[in-house]
């Protein structure tokens, strides 16, 4: 039996598909920024400045500023990725309510366990 999507949902499926792809791109970018922020070696410079802070208050301030910069970058990246993930999850819930699911960037019917027949939301034959 061929599965189809209601023709009334056509516009919403296509718009939400575009929205999901946009969120997916933003999510990947934000997640990469988060990984880059965590991998930053600014904390090493802050640690070195902290070692010299015993001799000078300037180095104590510099260490605090560098630690602040490091944790600010991580917090901002995490917040941005969290915001994008919320939007992406909302679109995924909408598709789940319609009996569809995503595997990466490819759309399938939810009961397609083997992922044999990907859907193209812009093809005419999937709408009844």
């Amino acid at each position: 039996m061929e599965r189809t999507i209601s023709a009334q949902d056509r516009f919403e499926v296509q718009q939400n598909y575009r929205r999901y792809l946009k969120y997916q791109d933003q999510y990947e970018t934000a997640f990469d920024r988060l990984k880059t922020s965590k991998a930053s070696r600014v904390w090493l410079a802050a640690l070195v400045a902290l070692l010299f802070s015993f001799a000078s208050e300037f180095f104590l301030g510099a260490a605090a500023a560098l630690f602040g910069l490091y944790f600010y970058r991580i917090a901002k990246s995490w917040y941005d990725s969290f915001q994008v993930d919320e939007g992406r999850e909302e679109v995924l819930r909408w598709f789940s309510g319609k009996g569809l699911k995503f595997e990466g960037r490819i759309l399938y019917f939810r009961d397609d366990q083997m992922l044999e027949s990907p859907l193209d939301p812009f093809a005419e034959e999937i709408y009844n």
Side-chain angles (χ1 to χ4, degrees):
M1 180 178 147
E2 189 68 28
R3 295 170 289 194
T4 59
I5 301 171
S6 171
Q8 297 167 343
D9 293 334
R10 176 186 201 171
F11 180 74
E12 289 182 45
V13 168
Q14 291 173 351
Q15 289 297 76
N16 282 323
Y17 181 76
R18 287 185 190 109
R19 189 174 294 129
Y20 173 79
L21 292 180
K22 180 187 77 158
Y23 279 133
Q24 186 68 18
D25 291 339
Q26 289 175 349
Y27 179 75
E28 290 169 2
T29 303
F31 191 69
D32 287 342
R33 270 193 227 131
L34 179 61
K35 287 193 300 188
T36 303
S37 296
K38 286 182 178 180
S40 174
R41 298 297 182 228
V42 172
W43 67 272
L44 286 174
L47 191 62
V48 169
L50 190 62
L51 291 174
F52 287 110
S53 71
F54 298 118
S56 170
E57 290 181 9
F58 170 77
F59 286 111
L60 182 62
L66 289 172
F67 275 124
L69 174 68
Y70 176 69
F71 290 116
Y72 172 76
R73 283 182 180 171
I74 290 174
K76 182 164 177 11
S77 301
W78 177 82
Y79 181 74
D80 291 343
S81 67
F82 180 75
Q83 291 295 328
V84 171
D85 192 40
E86 283 294 313
R88 190 178 72 125
E89 288 294 323
E90 181 180 324
V91 174
L92 285 173
R93 281 191 299 272
W94 185 88
F95 276 107
S96 179
K98 297 293 180 184
L100 303 169
K101 70 176 179 177
F102 273 96
E103 197 62 40
R105 300 174 70 89
I106 303 171
L107 186 63
Y108 295 96
F109 282 107
R110 188 177 352 174
D111 57 349
D112 189 0
Q113 297 297 323
M114 300 297 289
L115 306 178
E116 295 173 332
S117 55
L119 299 175
D120 179 13
F122 303 103
E124 295 291 326
E125 59 268 3
I126 67 166
Y127 300 103
N128 61 2

